[in-house]
């Protein structure tokens, strides 16, 4: 190794050992090799843990913060005109149990999709090239938010077929067709199979990223976990 190369290697190693001050002083290779790699590893673990949790039976439905609803429901209930009336009727139908079984099924479908999405998210994470590493490192869910900004559209596109598969598996599309025959409200509300699949995918993505952000924060805060310990060391925490 050349003298200059040896100097760079010693500098990078020293930067990793000296914590936050060293990272600020030498933001190049040391940051990318140490902090960046740690953040990607942490993000991968947060992704796996979140998807495992959401794949458990009833996980989406049992958590009101991420429960998936029918298109329009919860969004037009307070609106005016025909759209608002449809929203209120669909809300009432869910409360009376008319559409609740469909709501449960679409949440179950999201759980099925989450269980099959681990390699999809891992692949997207492996292709990330982190930008603004210090900024990402100092936010409790910084890596999750960066993944959402940089790969959210790609991930949604790859999650959609898994959601469609899940919706078919739990019989949601069949029940939607049955409800549409029994009441014209479904058709008037514009809840087609295509729209249902897109809505469930969008809402499932929101739930997944919400859980990922929470898991990332937990991993960062745990000094007994390798990622948390290294982050604290690198940031001088």
């Amino acid at each position: 190794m050349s003298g200059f190369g040896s100097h760079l290697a010693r500098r990078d190693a020293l930067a990793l050992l000296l914590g936050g001050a060293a990272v600020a002083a030498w933001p190049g290779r040391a940051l990318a090799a140490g902090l960046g790699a740690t953040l990607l590893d942490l993000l991968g673990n947060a992704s796996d843990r979140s998807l495992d949790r959401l794949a458990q039976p009833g996980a989406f439905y049992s958590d009101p913060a991420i429960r998936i609803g029918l298109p329009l429901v919860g969004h037009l209930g307070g609106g005016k005109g025909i759209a608002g009336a449809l929203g209120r009727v669909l809300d009432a139908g869910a409360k009376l149990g008319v559409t609740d079984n469909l709501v449960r099924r679409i949440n179950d479908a999201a759980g099925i999709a989450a269980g099959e999405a681990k390699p999809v998210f891992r692949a997207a994470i492996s292709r990330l090239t982190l930008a603004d590493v210090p900024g990402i490192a100092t936010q409790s869910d910084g890596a999750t938010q960066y993944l959402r900004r940089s790969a959210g559209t790609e991930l949604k596109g790859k999650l959609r077929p898994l959601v469609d598969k899940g919706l078919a598996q739990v019989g949601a599309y069949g029940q939607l067709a049955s409800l549409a025959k029994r009441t014209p409200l479904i058709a008037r509300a514009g809840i087609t199979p295509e729209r249902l699949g897109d809505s469930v995918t969008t809402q499932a993505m929101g739930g997944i990223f919400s859980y990922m952000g929470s898991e990332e924060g937990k991993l960062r805060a745990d000094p007994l976990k390798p990622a948390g310990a290294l982050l604290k060391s690198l940031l001088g925490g």
Side-chain angles (χ1 to χ4, degrees):
M1 181 182 293
S2 69
F4 179 70
S6 298
H7 171 71
L8 285 178
R10 288 195 299 272
R11 189 193 72 175
D12 290 354
L14 182 61
L16 290 174
L17 291 173
L18 291 180
V23 169
W26 292 304
R29 291 176 54 191
L31 206 61
L35 195 50
T38 299
L39 287 168
L40 290 180
D41 183 59
L42 180 148
L43 183 58
N45 289 330
S47 172
D48 287 348
R49 289 172 58 164
S50 300
L51 293 169
D52 283 341
R53 286 177 60 194
L54 291 170
Q56 296 301 309
F60 274 95
Y61 189 85
S62 63
D63 186 347
I66 64 165
R67 182 181 299 153
I68 295 172
L70 296 174
L72 301 182
V73 175
H75 300 286
L76 297 176
K80 298 180 180 180
I82 294 176
L86 287 172
R88 288 191 292 274
V89 170
L90 288 173
D91 276 330
K95 293 175 183 177
L96 293 173
V98 177
T99 58
D100 184 61
N101 190 38
L102 178 57
V103 172
R104 288 179 180 271
R105 290 190 187 197
I106 63 178
N107 279 271
D108 289 344
I112 292 172
E116 297 186 5
K118 287 173 70 173
V120 171
F121 275 77
R122 275 287 185 170
I125 292 167
S126 71
R127 293 193 296 271
L128 283 182
T129 301
L130 295 183
D132 186 23
V133 176
I136 295 170
T138 55
Q139 303 175 59
S140 65
D141 64 345
T144 298
Q145 292 303 322
Y146 182 75
L147 175 66
R148 189 171 195 170
R149 291 193 303 270
S150 60
T153 301
E154 171 197 347
L155 285 168
K156 181 181 177 182
K158 292 188 176 181
L159 186 67
R160 175 62 189 272
L162 301 180
V163 168
D164 285 334
K165 178 181 175 181
L167 287 168
Q169 183 175 326
V170 301
Y173 285 139
Q175 188 179 8
L176 178 64
S178 177
L179 282 172
K181 290 179 180 178
R182 298 198 329 247
T183 173
L185 287 174
I186 296 296
R188 291 185 66 184
I191 306 179
T192 62
E194 176 68 21
R195 186 169 185 184
L196 181 65
D198 188 63
S199 176
V200 172
T201 302
T202 298
Q203 293 179 74
M205 286 285 290
I208 290 170
F209 279 117
S210 175
Y211 270 46
M212 281 182 64
S214 177
E215 290 293 342
E216 179 185 348
K218 292 175 185 176
L219 289 168
R220 286 172 179 262
D222 189 347
L224 299 180
K225 297 289 184 181
L230 183 54
L231 275 173
K232 287 181 182 296
S233 173
L234 288 171
L235 294 174

